[in-house]
C-alpha cells in the first residue's frame, strides 16, 4: 500500500457522473503482523473524523493490530484515511493507558478501587443534592461516545437528577449545524447524502477544508472531479487549501473572505440568485415561508458592496453565484469556518436559503450537509446528552415533555424545561461563580479544547468545584480532577453511532479493555444504581444491562419523531453496511436523503424549536410560530451582516483563526500516540502570509510570539497560503507530549490561549475563528517549521522571498511532510504499538 502520510487521499478511482463510486479497500497492520496472522476481523466503523467509515478491526493475541476498510459499506466503499489507518489502534496498548481509578490526595492523584472512587462521586453528589438540589450538578461530554451511552446519560441527567446543565464539546464544533437545520427546516438532521457527490454538477464548500477534516469524503469528491462530467468546485476559505486549488482546477472559484465576513458573502450569493431570476418561484411559493422578507434583507448586498466588506473580487462573487444559479444540481457542505465564526447560525442558514430558493433539496445531487466535526456528534444531539431533548423534542412544547415523562415513567416536572438548557459556555460560567459545584467530564479535554483555555484550567482547579473525569488517559483535564475513572475505548466495547449523513453503524467489542477500565455505559449505570435513581413507581430508572437493551429503549424514544430508529435493530446492522435513519415501517431499509416530498418537520406540534431571530437570538414564541401556520413548509430566514466582535486595531493588527490538520484529531489523545501521525505533525505552529511575514521580518521556521488580549503562544512560523492579515494556528496541541505525558498547565503552542469566550446568539457556539492578535519575532529558527507540506499548511510558492529559509521538498516537486524530510528522532514507544507503515 502507498505511504498514506505523503499521499493523504490514496490511489484515485475516477468515475463519471451518475455512476457508483468504485470500491478500493485500504488496510494497515502493525509492524510485523501479516494478514495471515490475523485471528479475527471484527466489525466497526472509524471514530477519527465525522465521516463514519465502515471498518474491520484486526485482532491477534487479544490485541487490536490493525484495520481495513469495509468494501460493502455505503459510506466509504472500503477506503480509510490516514488517521483511520494509522491512528485507530496504537493508542489502545499505549503504556500510559488508565487502568485503575484515581482519587485526589492533596496535590496528587493516587490509584484506588472502583468502590472507593465511585463512592466519592456518589457521596459528593448526594451531599450537594441535599444541600442545594440538582442545579449544583453538570455534565460535559463528547462527540465520541456511543448512542447507547448518550441516551443513558440523558436519562440519568434529565430524568434522574433533573439538571438542565448538560452539554458536550459538540457545542464547540457542531452546535451551529443543528441550529441551522432547526431554523430552516424545523428539526435537526442532515437533508443530504454522500451519494449526492455522484450526482451533482457543482460542489460548494463553505468554511470546510474537507481535504483534511474528512479525507475519505474528499477522495470521493476527487474521484468525481477527475472523472467524466466533473462538477465545478467553489471554495469559501481564507486559506488556499487543497479544496481551493481543486476549485481553481475545475473552473470553479476560490473565494477568500476576510475572517468574520461570511454572512455578507452568502447574502451576496442570495441577492444574485434573486436578481438574475434563478429562483424557482413555483417551488418556493409552495414549500417555503419568508421569501419577501429574505429579499428585503439581501437586496443591498450587491457584489461591489460585498467585495469591499469581504476583500474578494466582485466578479468572483458573480461567477460563484452564476455557478450556483445555473447548475442543475448543487451539493453544499458547511463546517467550522462558518460554525466557529462571527454570525455562525445566520451564515449557515444563509446556505440553506440558497438551496430553498432554487428548490434544490431532497433530490439526487442537491444535498445540504451541515457537517459535524466529531464522529458521534449526531448521537449526542439525537439522544439529548447535550442541550437538546431526546428525539429532537422541543423544550417549549409541553406535549413533548409529557411524551418523555411517559417513556421514562417520571413526573414531567422532573425533566428540566422551565428555561433553555444550559450551554457549555454557561456551565463553566456557573462553575466559576460557584453555583455549579459538581462537574462530570467524559471523553473530552476542555483544558485544551475550550476557548480562553487558561481561564478554563483555573475554573477546573477551583477547590469549590468537584471534578470527575472519565477518559482513556491522564489528559490535561484529568490532571485537575478529583476523581479519574478509566474508560474503555473504541474496539473495547459495543455500541452504535451515527455519522454526518445519518448513517448508523454497529461497533462490536474486539478486545477486552486493559486492567479495570470499564465502558462509559457501565460507568454511567454504576453511578445511577449507586444513587438509587428510580421512576415514579419505584423501579430502577436505568435498569439496562447491555448496550442492546439501551438501543431498544432508544428506538422507542425515537418512534414517530423525525429521527426515527424504530425499525432498526442490531441484527440489521451486523455483517453488512451502515443504514441511514429514519428506519421505520415507511422506510424499512433506511432513507438516503430527507425531504424528497418537500415536507418539513416545521409544524408547531412537531418542530424541535419555534425558532430565533438570527441577529439577536431572541426566541420566537409558540403563539408567533403558530400564527405563521408553517404547514410543513421550510423557513427562509435572513439577517444583516454586522462586524465581528473583535476587530484588528493598532495594538492587535491581525486576525487570529484556528483549525485542524489532516494528521491529528482533537487534542491528540489517540493520534498523538500513533508514531507516523505524530511524526507528520509533531508540534504546534502558526501560518503567516508572505506579505505579513515580510513586513514582520519573519522567515520560515522563525519562532514568533502570537498575542491576543487573552493570552499568547510561542511557536515556529510557517510562511504559507493564508490570506494577508490572517494568522492560522492548529488547535490540537496542549501540554501533552509523547515523551513526558501531560501537565495541568498550557503548552507553548496551545492555540486556545488566545481565543475568546464569546458565542453565537442562536447556536451558542464560541468564536474560534475571529480574534485580534499581534505577531512578534522572538528568535531565528533552527530550520523549517513542523507544519506539514502536504496539506493546506504547505509553504507558499514564494515563501523564500519572505526570508532566508525555504522548506525542503521531495524529488519531482511533490511536497511531503517537512518533518519527514527533516527526520526528527522518534519518541520511545514499543514498535508493536506503532502505527507506522
Amino acid at each position: 500500500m502507498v505511504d498514506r502520510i505523503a499521499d493523504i487521499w490514496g490511489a484515485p478511482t475516477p468515475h463519471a457522473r451518475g455512476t457508483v463510486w468504485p470500491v478500493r479497500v485500504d488496510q494497515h497492520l502493525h509492524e510485523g503482523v501479516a494478514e495471515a496472522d490475523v485471528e479475527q476481523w471484527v466489525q466497526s466503523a472509524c471514530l477519527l473524523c465525522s465521516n463514519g467509515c465502515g471498518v474491520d478491526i484486526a485482532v491477534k493475541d487479544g490485541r487490536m493490530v490493525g484495520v481495513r476498510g469495509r468494501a460493502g459499506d455505503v459510506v466509504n466503499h472500503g477506503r480509510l484515511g490516514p488517521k483511520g489507518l494509522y491512528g485507530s489502534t496504537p493508542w489502545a496498548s499505549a503504556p500510559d493507558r488508565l487502568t485503575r481509578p484515581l482519587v485526589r490526595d492533596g496535590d496528587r492523584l493516587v490509584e484506588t478501587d472502583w468502590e472507593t472512587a465511585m463512592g466519592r462521586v456518589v457521596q459528593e453528589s448526594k451531599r450537594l443534592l441535599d444541600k442545594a438540589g440538582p442545579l449544583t450538578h453538570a455534565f460535559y461530554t463528547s462527540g465520541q461516545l456511543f448512542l447507547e451511552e448518550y441516551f443513558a446519560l440523558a436519562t440519568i441527567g434529565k430524568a434522574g437528577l433533573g439538571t438542565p446543565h448538560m452539554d458536550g464539546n459538540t457545542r464547540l464544533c457542531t452546535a451551529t449545524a443543528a441550529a441551522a437545520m432547526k431554523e430552516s427546516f424545523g428539526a435537526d438532521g442532515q437533508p443530504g447524502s454522500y451519494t449526492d457527490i455522484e450526482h451533482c454538477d457543482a460542489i460548494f464548500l463553505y468554511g470546510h477544508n474537507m481535504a483534511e477534516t474528512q479525507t475519505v469524503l474528499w477522495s470521493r469528491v476527487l474521484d468525481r472531479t477527475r472523472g467524466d462530467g466533473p462538477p465545478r468546485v467553489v471554495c469559501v476559505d481564507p486559506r488556499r487549501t487543497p479544496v481551493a486549488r481543486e476549485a481553481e482546477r475545475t473552473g470553479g472559484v476560490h473565494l477568500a473572505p476576510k475572517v468574520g465576513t461570511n454572512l455578507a458573502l452568502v447574502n451576496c450569493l442570495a441577492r444574485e440568485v434573486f436578481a438574475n431570476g434563478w429562483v424557482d418561484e413555483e417551488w418556493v411559493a409552495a414549500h417555503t415561508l419568508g421569501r419577501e422578507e429574505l429579499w428585503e434583507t439581501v437586496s443591498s448586498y450587491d457584489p461591489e458592496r460585498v467585495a469591499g466588506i469581504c476583500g474578494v473580487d466582485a466578479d468572483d462573487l458573480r461567477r460563484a453565484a452564476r455557478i450556483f444559479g445555473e447548475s442543475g444540481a448543487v451539493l453544499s457542505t458547511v463546517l467550522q469556518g462558518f460554525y466557529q465564526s462571527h454570525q455562525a447560525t445566520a451564515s449557515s442558514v444563509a446556505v440553506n436559503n440558497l438551496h430553498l430558493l432554487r428548490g434544490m433539496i431532497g433530490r439526487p445531487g442537491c444535498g445540504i450537509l451541515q457537517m459535524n466535526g466529531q464522529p458521534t456528534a449526531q448521537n449526542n444531539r439525537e439522544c439529548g446528552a447535550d442541550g437538546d431533548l431526546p428525539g429532537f423534542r422541543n423544550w417549549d412544547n409541553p406535549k413533548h415533555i409529557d411524551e418523555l415523562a411517559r417513556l421514562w415513567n417520571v413526573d414531567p416536572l422532573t425533566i428540566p424545561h422551565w428555561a433553555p438548557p444550559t450551554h457549555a459556555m454557561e456551565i463553566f460560567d456557573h462553575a466559576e461563580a460557584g453555583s455549579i459545584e459538581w462537574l462530570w467530564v467524559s471523553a473530552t479535554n476542555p483544558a485544551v479544547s475550550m476557548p480562553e483555555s487558561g481561564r478554563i484550567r483555573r475554573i477546573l482547579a477551583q477547590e469549590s468545584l468537584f471534578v470527575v473525569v472519565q477518559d482513556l488517559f491522564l489528559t490535561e483535564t484529568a490532571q485537575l480532577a478529583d476523581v479519574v475513572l478509566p474508560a474503555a475505548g473504541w474496539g473495547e466495547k459495543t455500541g452504535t453511532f451515527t455519522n454526518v449523513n445519518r448513517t448508523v453503524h454497529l461497533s462490536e467489542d474486539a478486545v477486552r479493555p486493559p486492567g479495570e477500565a470499564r465502558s462509559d455505559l457501565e460507568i454511567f449505570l454504576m453511578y445511577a444504581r449507586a444513587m438509587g435513581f428510580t421512576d415514579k413507581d419505584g423501579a430502577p430508572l436505568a435498569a439496562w444491562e447491555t448496550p442492546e437493551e439501551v438501543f431498544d429503549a432508544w428506538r422507542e424514544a425515537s418512534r414517530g419523531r423525525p429521527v426515527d430508529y424504530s425499525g432498526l435493530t442490531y441484527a440489521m446492522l451486523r455483517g453488512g453496511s451502515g443504514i441511514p435513519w429514519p428506519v421505520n415501517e415507511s422506510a424499512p431499509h433506511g432513507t438516503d436523503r430527507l425531504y424528497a416530498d418537500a415536507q418539513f418537520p416545521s409544524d408547531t406540534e412537531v418542530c424541535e424549536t419555534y425558532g430565533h431571530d438570527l441577529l439577536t437570538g431572541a426566541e420566537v414564541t409558540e403563539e408567533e410560530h403558530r400564527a405563521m401556520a408553517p404547514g410543513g413548509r421550510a423557513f427562509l430566514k435572513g439577517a444583516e451582516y454586522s462586524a465581528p466582535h473583535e476587530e484588528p486595531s493598532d495594538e492587535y493588527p491581525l486576525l487570529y483563526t484556528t483549525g485542524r490538520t489532516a494528521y491529528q484529531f482533537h487534542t491528540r489523545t489517540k493520534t498523538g500516540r500513533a508514531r507516523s501521525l505524530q511524526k507528520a505533525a509533531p508540534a504546534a505552529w502558526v501560518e503567516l502570509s508572505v506579505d505579513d511575514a515580510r513586513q514582520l521580518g519573519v522567515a520560515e521556521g522563525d519562532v514568533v510570539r502570537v498575542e491576543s488580549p487573552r493570552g499568547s503562544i510561542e511557536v515556529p512560523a510557517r510562511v504559507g497560503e493564508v490570506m494577508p492579515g490572517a494568522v492560522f494556528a492548529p488547535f490540537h496541541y496542549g501540554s501533552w507530549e509523547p515523551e513526558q505525558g501531560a501537565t495541568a498547565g498550557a503548552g507553548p503552542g496551545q492555540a486556545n490561549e488566545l481565543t475568546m469566550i464569546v458565542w453565537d446568539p442562536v447556536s451558542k457556539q464560541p468564536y474560534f475563528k475571529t480574534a485580534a492578535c499581534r505577531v512578534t519575532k522572538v528568535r531565528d529558527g533552527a530550520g523549517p517549521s513542523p507544519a506539514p507540506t502536504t496539506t493546506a499548511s504547505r509553504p507558499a510558492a514564494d515563501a523564500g522571498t519572505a526570508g532566508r529559509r525555504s522548506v525542503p521538498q521531495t524529488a519531482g516537486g511533490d511536497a511531503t511532510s517537512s518533518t519527514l524530510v527533516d527526520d526528527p528522532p522518534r519518541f520511545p514507544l514499543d514498535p508493536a504499538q506503532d502505527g507506522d507503515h
Side-chain angles (χ1 to χ4, degrees):
M1 183 174 164
V2 299
D3 178 350
R4 293 291 299 284
I5 295 297
D7 184 359
I8 296 173
W9 307 290
T13 55
H15 65 105
R17 178 179 177 175
T19 61
V20 176
W21 190 29
V23 168
R24 185 195 80 200
V25 175
D26 295 343
Q27 177 175 303
H28 170 70
L29 298 174
H30 287 199
E31 187 176 342
V33 177
E35 191 167 355
D37 298 329
V38 176
E39 298 165 0
Q40 185 182 14
W41 292 95
V42 179
Q43 177 180 343
S44 185
C46 181
L47 272 180
L48 287 174
C49 84
S50 63
N51 208 50
C53 297
V55 66
D56 291 323
I57 304 169
V59 179
K60 180 180 184 293
D61 298 331
R63 295 179 59 214
M64 296 188 287
V65 294
V67 291
R68 72 179 178 197
R70 292 178 66 83
D73 194 85
V74 66
V75 170
N76 59 316
H77 294 212
R79 291 163 185 75
L80 295 172
K83 290 194 290 286
L85 283 168
Y86 306 135
S88 287
T89 56
W91 60 270
S93 49
D96 56 341
R97 274 292 298 273
L98 289 171
T99 59
R100 297 196 69 202
L102 305 172
V103 295
R104 184 157 297 283
D105 181 9
D107 60 355
R108 300 184 305 138
L109 287 166
V110 297
E111 286 191 350
T112 189
D113 54 48
W114 273 99
E115 183 178 3
T116 300
M118 188 57 73
R120 286 203 186 182
V121 174
V122 170
Q123 179 183 16
E124 188 65 9
S125 184
K126 288 182 174 179
R127 183 186 73 80
L128 290 170
L129 288 174
D130 291 342
K131 168 189 157 186
L135 294 181
T136 56
H137 284 55
F139 293 90
Y140 183 62
T141 186
S142 170
Q144 297 171 62
L145 301 182
F146 286 159
L147 177 154
E148 294 80 359
E149 292 159 346
Y150 290 125
F151 187 61
L153 181 58
T155 303
I156 291 164
K158 287 168 175 151
L161 284 168
T163 178
H165 304 325
M166 299 186 73
D167 206 356
N169 65 12
T170 49
R171 183 67 54 188
L172 311 182
C173 65
T174 63
T176 299
M181 290 182 285
K182 293 176 192 177
E183 295 296 328
S184 296
F185 313 127
D188 194 353
Q190 301 289 350
S193 165
Y194 290 168
T195 59
D196 289 325
I197 295 171
E198 277 78 78
H199 299 282
C200 67
D201 51 19
I203 303 176
F204 279 61
L205 297 100
Y206 299 91
H208 183 194
N209 181 12
M210 187 192 288
E212 296 191 57
T213 55
Q214 287 94 14
T215 56
V216 169
L217 198 61
W218 183 242
S219 72
R220 192 166 187 161
V221 171
L222 290 177
D223 283 344
R224 273 293 327 276
T225 62
R226 307 303 169 95
D228 293 336
R232 286 177 291 179
V233 175
V234 176
C235 171
V236 180
D237 198 307
R239 299 163 78 207
R240 191 166 179 265
T241 64
V243 177
R245 294 196 293 274
E246 194 66 11
E248 296 161 356
R249 197 197 67 81
T250 61
V253 188
H254 174 210
L255 301 172
K258 293 177 183 176
V259 173
T261 64
N262 296 328
L263 180 57
L265 187 148
V266 189
N267 277 353
C268 177
L269 299 183
R271 187 259 183 201
E272 290 296 286
V273 168
F274 275 113
N276 288 281
W278 294 322
V279 175
D280 186 336
E281 298 288 2
E282 184 177 351
W283 193 95
V284 167
H287 301 297
T288 71
L289 293 169
R291 180 206 181 280
E292 297 308 318
E293 293 84 352
L294 180 62
W295 166 243
E296 185 177 345
T297 298
V298 304
S299 59
S300 65
Y301 289 85
D302 59 85
E304 280 71 27
R305 178 193 174 198
V306 172
I309 294 171
C310 299
V312 298
D313 185 81
D315 285 340
D316 284 345
L317 289 166
R318 289 190 182 91
R319 187 174 167 202
R322 183 167 294 277
I323 291 172
F324 198 99
E326 295 184 343
S327 295
V330 177
L331 169 64
S332 291
T333 74
V334 191
L335 196 57
Q336 316 295 31
F338 272 39
Y339 298 164
Q340 295 178 336
S341 191
H342 178 53
Q343 297 187 291
T345 304
S347 301
S348 301
V349 165
V351 175
N352 297 340
N353 289 340
L354 289 169
H355 280 260
L356 293 171
L357 287 172
R358 294 221 53 224
M360 287 200 298
I361 190 168
R363 53 190 174 89
C366 298
I368 305 169
L369 292 172
Q370 297 280 354
M371 300 291 290
N372 295 339
Q374 292 191 76
T376 66
Q378 193 67 43
N379 296 126
N380 197 332
R381 306 198 308 252
E382 293 168 0
C383 297
D386 62 350
D388 296 311
L389 284 178
F392 295 166
R393 288 178 170 85
N394 189 337
W395 282 90
D396 286 333
N397 189 328
K399 292 181 180 178
H400 289 190
I401 302 300
D402 288 344
E403 288 174 6
L404 276 180
R406 287 194 298 273
L407 282 163
W408 284 326
N409 194 28
V410 298
D411 190 314
L413 294 177
T414 303
I415 302 170
H417 61 284
W418 54 86
T422 315
H423 61 84
M425 305 298 105
E426 288 182 321
I427 285 175
F428 282 90
D429 280 351
H430 293 327
E432 186 175 42
S435 60
I436 288 178
E437 301 178 67
W438 185 99
L439 175 63
W440 189 322
V441 178
S442 52
T444 186
N445 191 13
V448 175
S449 61
M450 289 282 281
E452 201 173 335
S453 52
R455 177 187 174 223
I456 299 301
R457 290 193 304 278
R458 292 191 296 272
I459 293 170
L460 290 168
Q462 289 177 172
E463 289 188 11
S464 59
L465 182 64
F466 183 84
V467 178
V468 182
V469 171
Q470 179 173 313
D471 215 320
L472 305 169
F473 297 94
L474 196 62
T475 63
E476 290 92 337
T477 301
Q479 293 274 356
L480 299 167
D482 295 283
V483 176
V484 180
L485 305 175
W490 175 87
E492 299 169 346
K493 59 182 183 178
T494 293
T496 56
F497 66 90
T498 307
N499 76 341
V500 170
N501 75 331
R502 298 171 285 100
T503 301
V504 186
H505 283 100
L506 176 66
S507 181
E508 304 268 22
D509 60 313
V511 299
R512 292 182 58 82
E516 299 175 24
R518 301 186 180 188
S519 76
D520 298 277
L521 178 61
E522 290 177 288
I523 296 170
F524 292 146
L525 296 180
M526 184 182 185
Y527 167 73
R529 289 162 187 156
M531 290 294 291
F533 293 136
T534 60
D535 64 17
K536 63 183 182 182
D537 295 329
L541 181 67
W544 309 297
E545 297 290 340
T546 67
E548 191 166 6
E549 290 175 356
V550 184
F551 184 81
D552 288 341
W554 162 248
R555 290 170 58 206
E556 291 307 308
S558 71
R559 186 181 296 275
R561 295 298 300 157
V563 52
D564 195 336
Y565 282 65
S566 60
L568 192 58
T569 65
Y570 271 29
M572 291 170 62
L573 292 169
R574 282 196 170 101
S577 172
I579 300 174
W581 63 254
V583 186
N584 49 31
E585 291 182 1
S586 301
H589 304 295
T591 307
D592 192 31
R593 60 182 58 81
L594 301 181
Y595 312 134
D597 57 0
Q599 289 295 302
F600 301 91
S602 60
D603 286 347
T604 305
E605 299 303 330
V606 175
C607 65
E608 190 176 357
T609 178
Y610 300 133
H612 301 79
D613 180 275
L614 299 182
L615 194 60
T616 67
E619 296 182 12
V620 176
T621 67
E622 178 186 352
E623 292 76 14
E624 291 168 333
H625 189 274
R626 196 176 297 279
M628 289 187 284
R633 290 175 288 181
F635 297 98
L636 290 164
K637 287 189 172 185
E640 296 285 352
Y641 164 76
S642 62
H645 179 82
E646 186 171 274
E647 291 196 278
S649 63
D650 290 342
E651 187 176 6
Y652 298 102
L654 302 171
L655 276 172
Y656 180 79
T657 187
T658 67
R660 303 173 184 238
T661 178
Y663 301 113
Q664 299 288 3
F665 186 60
H666 282 215
T667 62
R668 299 185 297 152
T669 305
K670 291 180 177 178
T671 53
R673 290 172 170 85
R675 184 178 297 150
S676 57
L677 295 174
Q678 177 65 9
K679 186 179 179 184
W685 70 90
V686 295
E687 294 171 27
L688 304 174
S689 72
V690 172
D691 290 346
D692 290 330
R694 185 182 297 113
Q695 291 176 18
L696 292 164
V698 173
E700 168 67 35
D702 285 350
V703 176
V704 297
R705 181 178 179 86
V706 187
E707 301 172 87
S708 81
R710 289 155 296 280
S712 65
I713 56 175
E714 288 191 8
V715 290
R718 160 59 43 87
V719 180
E721 296 189 306
V722 66
M723 69 177 298
V727 179
F728 172 86
F731 78 93
H732 309 286
Y733 302 91
S735 67
W736 177 82
E737 293 302 333
E739 296 87 350
Q740 65 262 21
T743 66
Q750 188 160 323
N752 283 323
E753 294 291 284
L754 283 72
T755 51
M756 54 185 163
I757 299 184
V758 181
W759 52 81
D760 178 77
V762 180
S763 68
K764 309 301 190 288
Q765 185 156 351
Y767 304 164
F768 289 97
K769 303 296 187 187
T770 52
C773 73
R774 62 176 174 238
V775 176
T776 309
K777 179 176 174 179
V778 175
R779 61 180 179 274
D780 288 348
S785 79
T789 66
T790 51
T791 66
S793 298
R794 73 179 192 169
D798 53 348
T801 67
R804 67 195 174 282
R805 189 176 300 109
S806 61
V807 182
Q809 305 286 314
T810 57
D814 293 327
T816 187
S817 169
S818 60
T819 55
L820 295 179
V821 172
D822 297 339
D823 198 22
R826 296 186 172 199
F827 53 82
L829 281 183
D830 183 340
Q833 296 154 5
D834 186 19
D836 263 354
H837 38 285

